[in-house]
Amino acid sequence: MANIIDVPKPRINCSMLSQYINKAVCFVGKVEKVHPSGRTFTVSDGEEKTATVELNDPLEEELSGVVEIIGLVSNKGVIMASLYNLLREDKGNTFDLQLYNEALKLLHDFPQHYPYEAAASG
Amino acid sequence: MDRLCSSKDNPDWNTAPKAKRMSALQVLPCTVSQLLGSSLLQHEAFAIGDLELHQVSVVGIVRSSCPCATYNQFCVDDMTGPPLTVRQWTNTDSESSDPLEPEPGVYVKVHGSLRELQGQKSLMAMRIRRVSDLNEITSHMLEVVYAHQQLFGKGCDVNMNVLPQTHKGSNTAGFSIVQGQVLHVIQQHSGKSEGIHLQDLVTLLDYINETDIRKSLAFLTNEGHVFSTIDDNHFKSTEC
């Protein structure tokens, strides 16, 4: 099975989850609640809708702020995360999640100018 | 006629992979998928569509890093496809060397040019910079769409809906064939500030009689697609 890093991972928000079932996606959102087990947490997107994320291994650290998750969307619309990455606030610059949400909708409006495809290299 | 040649309807498209447009002075913001999907031209340069690529920029997260003696090599992932290999030559003189050694998990912006090395496309980096304000991820996404829309898009209305493309001989929505032809030629000559002279329009459209051309001009002007410039005989298109 292809490594999730090597496939296109369209940036989506909660409204688009149902269109990407069983597909690899990149979801950026604000961490809301972390389950005590550390295996699952909820995130909210730029439209303030919430999605659930499940991890293979429980979290080893405190997770808060804006996180970028790569994973597959399950049949139930849960993001099965393979990797995540905190978008840390640097020098007081807060990541503008609402603007990011507008931008990602634009990407979907113009797929000819922002293609998500595994074009052959070389 | 050059712009007609760059249309994919022209049968010469597949046999003559020569770029019609140069972008030597531009740094084109791109996605990794666009770079990996670009075509190789005759002289080892790459093109997206008919635009020859020179400098490009990508924003992505470093997935793996492999510093070697003479160059740094790492893979940058912007989610549009597999990660792109990036190489940056390390300079022995410390003045010009970039102190950044990209670590995995860090977002970077890379400026460089596309090369083919060992059968694979990779980016030869001129400059690599860590992204300090992560809103730059968002701004790069927007810049890519904007730049590509400007270069490859065929015009849009106020709601950002792409207008139908005008091809020679086809009927553009809302126009008669003659009106569409007249508009097409005016659009081709709208690069000049004064546009095209009526006589040149008549000469180029020698298969249409002058009365019909004048009627079309009146219609197009009334509809706001065309306007007169330095005098009543010079016309230019309002559309991009």
Side-chain angles (χ1 to χ4, degrees):
Chain A
M1 186 173 120
N3 191 334
I4 200 167
I5 301 270
D6 295 326
V7 296
K9 304 160 280 292
R11 292 183 179 276
I12 61 159
N13 61 16
C14 290
S15 319
M16 299 172 190
L17 278 168
S18 55
Q19 298 161 36
Y20 286 86
I21 300 217
N22 290 325
K23 298 206 168 81
V25 296
C26 171
F27 190 97
V28 174
K30 185 159 162 290
V31 177
E32 295 291 337
K33 282 210 173 93
V34 180
H35 191 266
S37 67
R39 291 203 104 105
T40 177
F41 59 96
T42 53
V43 282
S44 61
D45 67 8
E47 290 171 347
E48 290 173 24
K49 297 204 176 89
T50 331
T52 311
V53 180
E54 276 183 24
L55 299 165
N56 286 331
D57 305 307
L59 287 167
E60 284 170 16
E61 55 181 351
E62 277 288 321
L63 200 66
S64 69
V66 179
V67 66
E68 183 179 67
I69 301 148
I70 292 180
L72 288 173
V73 182
S74 77
N75 300 351
K76 297 182 188 142
V78 169
I79 304 166
M80 313 298 292
S82 302
L83 334 150
Y84 67 87
N85 168 50
L86 275 174
L87 297 186
R88 283 191 188 84
E89 190 176 304
D90 200 7
K91 298 175 194 165
N93 295 315
T94 328
F95 186 77
D96 188 336
L97 200 54
Q98 282 179 327
L99 183 65
Y100 171 83
N101 186 66
E102 292 300 315
L104 79 83
K105 289 199 291 190
L106 197 80
L107 303 190
H108 288 266
D109 285 342
F110 290 93
Q112 71 274 37
H113 300 311
Y114 204 93
Y116 282 105
E117 55 199 33
S121 55
Chain B
M1 292 303 280
D2 275 348
R3 270 164 244 180
L4 276 177
C5 289
S6 66
S7 158
K8 288 191 168 61
D9 293 334
N10 187 305
D12 287 333
W13 175 260
N14 289 323
T15 57
K18 244 188 86 182
K20 305 293 182 202
R21 289 190 279 174
M22 305 287 281
S23 65
L25 299 178
Q26 296 170 352
V27 175
L28 185 67
C30 290
T31 63
V32 167
S33 54
Q34 285 164 340
L35 295 179
L36 292 177
S38 61
S39 46
L40 181 60
L41 299 176
Q42 291 161 343
H43 47 287
E44 292 181 1
F46 290 89
I48 292 179
D50 66 345
L51 180 76
E52 183 171 341
L53 295 177
H54 286 267
Q55 297 272 324
V56 296
S57 67
V58 288
V59 168
I61 190 167
V62 176
R63 290 291 179 207
S64 61
S65 170
C66 159
C68 306
T70 48
Y71 58 86
N72 282 334
Q73 180 169 305
F74 51 100
C75 291
V76 170
D77 182 6
D78 70 351
M79 315 301 167
T80 60
L84 179 67
T85 307
V86 176
R87 271 189 192 191
Q88 185 188 35
W89 296 106
T90 52
N91 295 314
T92 48
D93 53 322
S94 56
E95 265 185 55
S96 49
S97 72
D98 207 324
L100 173 75
E101 260 188 37
E103 309 154 7
V106 163
Y107 258 97
V108 292
K109 184 163 194 175
V110 185
H111 286 94
S113 39
L114 202 56
R115 293 280 181 269
E116 191 165 74
L117 285 163
Q118 294 155 358
Q120 287 212 319
K121 288 191 175 95
S122 66
L123 199 57
M124 188 68 63
M126 297 283 288
R127 185 167 147 79
I128 304 160
R129 163 171 73 75
R130 184 186 177 136
V131 171
S132 53
D133 182 350
L134 290 165
N135 290 305
E136 202 161 354
I137 300 170
T138 309
S139 69
H140 187 79
M141 283 156 55
L142 296 169
E143 284 168 21
V144 169
V145 173
Y146 180 72
H148 287 251
Q149 163 66 22
Q150 291 287 300
L151 291 167
F152 304 107
K154 294 292 185 220
C156 37
D157 65 14
V158 289
N159 293 319
M160 291 292 281
N161 296 317
V162 178
L163 289 175
Q165 298 185 30
T166 52
H167 291 294
K168 192 166 172 136
S170 71
N171 195 355
T172 317
F175 300 145
S176 70
I177 290 180
V178 168
Q179 287 159 357
Q181 290 293 290
V182 171
L183 180 60
H184 186 60
V185 175
I186 295 175
Q187 280 173 335
Q188 284 189 303
H189 289 85
S190 288
K192 292 181 284 196
S193 60
E194 76 275 14
I196 183 173
H197 192 280
L198 176 61
Q199 279 314 307
D200 293 331
L201 195 56
V202 168
T203 312
L204 284 170
L205 293 167
D206 57 357
Y207 50 90
I208 305 177
N209 73 61
E210 193 173 320
T211 320
D212 287 342
I213 292 177
R214 283 179 182 277
K215 278 190 203 163
S216 298
L217 277 172
F219 168 79
L220 292 168
T221 312
N222 277 338
E223 295 291 306
H225 299 290
V226 147
F227 61 99
S228 50
T229 57
I230 54 174
D231 60 22
D232 287 344
N233 288 323
H234 282 84
F235 297 93
K236 209 170 151 178
S237 158
T238 50
E239 281 143 24
C240 43

